Amino acid sequence: MAPIIHWFRRDLRLADNSALAAAAHAAGGAVLPVFIFDPALLRGRFASAPRTAWLLAHLHALAAQLAAQGSRLVIRRGAPVAELVALAHSVGARAVYWNVDDTPYARERDRVATNELQALGLEVARFKDVVVLARDEVLKPDGTPYTVFTPYARRWRERLAAQPVVLQPAPRLVALTVWPPAQPMPTLAELGLPATRVPLPAAGETAALERLHQFAAPGASGLAHYANQRDMLAASGTSRLSPDLRLGSLSVRVALQAALAQETHATPEVRQSLTSWVNELIWREFYTQILYHFPHVLRGAFRQAYDLLPWENDAAQFHAWQTGQTGYPVVDAAMRQLQEEGWMHNRARMIVASFLSKDLLIDWRWGERHFMHLLLDGDPASNNGGWQWAAGTGTDAQPYFRIFNPTTQGQKFDPEGDYVRRYLPVLARVPARYIHTPHLLPPAEQLRAQVQIGRDYPLPIVDHKVQRARALALFRR
Ligand SMILES: Cc1cc2nc3c(=O)[nH]c(=O)nc-3n(C[C@H](O)[C@H](O)[C@H](O)COP(=O)(O)OP(=O)(O)OC[C@H]3O[C@@H](n4cnc5c(N)ncnc54)[C@H](O)[C@@H]3O)c2cc1C
């Protein structure tokens, strides 16, 4: 049987992979699994060394998994369409299958690929996989897209109830009679990216499932206590599965099913946590469809009037924010977490994004890009949605006066200061009473805490009260 090419992109797993399962079924297991490094993405404005290192680690794991079945992961570097055409010729493939990616770059790339491959007589088949419900499955009764989360989520749940989740096992692949010439897996340096010190979690589908199990298995403490732990900065209260969902080492349906399967027997408290976690998965789908229907958000504000905001864009203040030297401990700790781990707690993301846009009056797109450079889970849709939510330019109804106070946020969500001390060891001995206001620490206490504020740790670079009033005036205008 002529083989079918499965083009891996953000679905780096074998189990519950829609396009791969269909390809294996249609070709009797004779699938050519391919991953293509696209120079346009590696050099794009959102390119990221940590995320590419994470991708490489996954590809190594996937290659080993395929090799164990007698199959191979074929690696190519170059323009995707040309590479696919060459590969199809070299093995006599009759079709190319892939899972849909709704980001603007991928849509255009896939449109061109579809046209060119079909013109050569190859069959192209595309599958829903990255989301549970696709952008055209959750629409308003008049057929237009939702732009407000709550009614979107309500409709999403109705649709899900009518169309329960079905999981597909990993297919059995067979060795092909002809393989294309092997090309080695490139290194980060060969891909033109700098080295990264971010420690990567264990990569691959098995490790991702293990993380899901640790968080969500019945009896595990994570998911059951999610509702009241998810905002606490120092707790391990969230799943940390976003980097797996980003590259598809974890299927979102498998993640969702882990929560749904517990619903019937859960206590009311646990049920609240299950609902709250599923809601976060729905946020991911909400932003995915926002980017699909309103691709202009990747260039500017969802509400385009806000593109006229006269941001101050002070480069020195931006640098202080990036490097965690604003004098607001919770902001600085969060920015160090991002640098050190390639990940940041959701509550912290909201705090630092509000601080950049509302306290420093810096264009949220600067922050969006910085996040994309560093986050292992950096996703154009969720990141853009999160930034526009915090900056007040996005889909929310009356958002611009939502301005987080970084001091009270810290006091509420890191009351003992454990999160701050973890990432800012210079404040390790500061008592909890002052941990979010170290600039108020009396000199004698500074001596005891072995820190001199203004020398070892900066004074606040702006006054939140003053900046809040300025931001409100700016947005009102
Ligand atoms: C300014 C800003 C930027 C963000 N950038 C990204 C990004 O680039 N990539 C990304 O995946 N998430 C982003 N988020 C959303 C959220 O912060 C992360 O998804 C979450 O912190 C990941 O941690 P977790 O896996 O432990 O989440 P959990 O709390 O365990 O949630 C489970 C999953 O739901 C999804 N999710 C959770 N919260 C959100 C949300 N608010 N929006 C969309 N999806 C969500 C994620 O896939 C997450 O893995 C951003 C949020 C903000 C405020």
Side-chain angles (χ1 to χ4, degrees):
M1 201 179 277
I4 293 180
I5 294 179
H6 173 73
W7 181 14
F8 278 109
R9 299 109 62 90
R10 43 186 306 176
D11 55 340
L12 305 183
R13 64 178 185 282
L14 302 184
D16 196 43
N17 181 325
S18 313
L20 182 66
H25 181 71
V31 173
L32 180 71
V34 174
F35 185 87
I36 304 166
F37 288 96
D38 179 351
L41 285 177
L42 292 166
R43 288 193 218 107
R45 71 187 173 114
F46 285 163
S48 157
R51 198 164 55 258
T52 308
W54 176 236
L55 166 69
L56 282 168
H58 276 293
L59 291 174
H60 279 289
L62 186 62
Q65 249 183 311
L66 286 166
Q69 306 201 4
S71 180
R72 294 180 198 169
L73 178 62
V74 171
I75 297 293
R76 286 292 180 274
R77 288 164 68 179
V81 183
E83 295 299 331
L84 288 171
V85 169
L87 285 169
H89 277 304
S90 72
V91 300
R94 65 176 172 89
V96 185
Y97 283 24
W98 65 72
N99 288 313
V100 170
D101 179 351
D102 271 340
T103 51
Y105 176 80
R107 279 170 69 187
E108 179 55 18
R109 176 196 60 198
D110 295 351
R111 190 187 63 77
V112 173
T114 305
N115 289 343
E116 297 199 12
L117 294 166
Q118 285 177 342
L120 291 168
L122 288 156
E123 181 206 340
V124 170
R126 290 153 294 188
F127 296 82
K128 174 182 75 168
D129 186 78
V130 171
V131 288
V132 179
L133 293 172
R135 71 264 171 169
D136 50 357
E137 288 181 287
V138 187
L139 293 169
K140 290 191 212 165
D142 67 1
T144 59
Y146 285 100
T147 57
V148 177
F149 177 74
T150 310
Y152 171 85
R154 201 178 307 124
R155 183 83 189 114
W156 191 98
R157 286 180 188 273
E158 284 165 11
R159 286 305 303 251
L160 185 76
Q163 174 187 322
V165 177
V166 179
L167 305 180
Q168 307 195 59
R172 282 190 58 79
L173 304 184
V174 299
L176 303 186
T177 38
V178 189
W179 287 98
Q183 285 182 13
M185 189 80 76
T187 63
L188 204 53
E190 284 163 354
L191 293 172
L193 289 160
T196 166
R197 282 188 313 227
V198 168
L200 299 175
E205 155 171 25
T206 311
L209 286 172
E210 177 56 30
R211 277 188 280 277
L212 174 67
H213 185 75
Q214 295 267 335
F215 173 74
S221 63
L223 182 52
H225 300 291
Y226 182 74
N228 53 31
Q229 286 298 300
R230 59 183 293 249
D231 273 321
M232 301 314 290
L233 291 165
S236 305
T238 71
S239 68
R240 286 191 84 140
L241 287 167
S242 50
D244 290 303
L245 290 168
R246 172 67 183 91
L247 290 184
S249 42
L250 179 66
S251 151
V252 67
R253 289 172 299 276
V254 169
L256 175 67
Q257 191 57 34
L260 297 181
Q262 298 180 43
E263 265 178 350
T264 10
H265 302 296
T267 61
E269 292 78 26
V270 172
R271 193 163 308 136
Q272 198 188 346
S273 283
L274 300 176
T275 304
S276 166
W277 196 63
V278 170
N279 241 15
E280 297 309 314
L281 297 176
I282 304 177
W283 270 108
R284 177 176 173 274
E285 311 225 333
F286 175 69
Y287 285 137
T288 303
Q289 61 92 36
I290 287 287
L291 179 57
Y292 176 84
H293 293 293
F294 306 96
H296 74 269
V297 297
L298 269 196
R299 296 185 301 277
F302 173 79
R303 291 163 191 270
Q304 285 164 305
Y306 288 121
D307 282 336
L308 303 173
L309 281 172
W311 301 106
E312 296 188 349
N313 294 344
D314 181 310
Q317 289 187 348
F318 183 59
H319 184 253
W321 176 82
Q322 283 179 304
T323 51
Q325 299 185 71
T326 67
Y328 285 93
V330 75
V331 172
D332 295 340
M335 296 308 291
R336 306 275 176 103
Q337 178 176 35
L338 176 61
Q339 288 278 352
E340 288 169 26
E341 298 175 10
W343 186 85
M344 192 195 286
H345 193 284
N346 178 58
R347 170 63 47 181
R349 294 187 206 208
M350 296 195 283
I351 297 171
V352 303
S354 173
F355 189 81
L356 186 81
S357 52
K358 305 280 175 63
D359 285 74
L360 301 183
L361 300 172
I362 290 176
D363 191 332
W364 58 270
R365 285 169 292 194
W366 292 28
E368 178 195 30
R369 197 164 53 234
H370 182 66
F371 267 34
M372 285 305 284
H373 289 166
L374 293 177
L375 281 172
L376 296 181
D377 66 26
D379 172 69
S382 293
N383 192 45
N384 183 274
W387 272 97
Q388 298 227 31
W389 183 91
T393 58
T395 49
D396 266 11
Q398 295 176 314
Y400 74 84
F401 44 76
R402 181 199 305 117
I403 299 181
F404 282 10
N405 178 326
T407 307
T408 52
Q409 286 283 314
Q411 288 162 342
K412 188 163 174 202
F413 298 112
D414 186 30
E416 298 305 317
D418 295 336
Y419 179 74
V420 164
R421 289 191 200 89
R422 190 183 306 156
Y423 297 102
L424 298 175
V426 66
L427 300 180
R429 293 181 188 80
V430 172
R433 195 151 64 93
Y434 288 105
I435 194 74
H436 295 289
T437 51
H439 62 289
L440 300 180
L441 205 58
E445 296 251 20
Q446 293 192 28
L447 217 59
R448 255 199 300 280
Q450 297 171 29
V451 60
Q452 190 177 327
I453 304 300
R455 185 195 67 183
D456 307 327
Y457 180 73
L459 291 160
I461 58 168
V462 289
D463 179 336
H464 172 69
K465 259 204 215 112
V466 173
Q467 294 304 99
R468 180 176 189 281
R470 294 186 63 215
L472 285 174
L474 193 85
F475 271 77
R476 263 191 215 116
R477 250 201 285 150

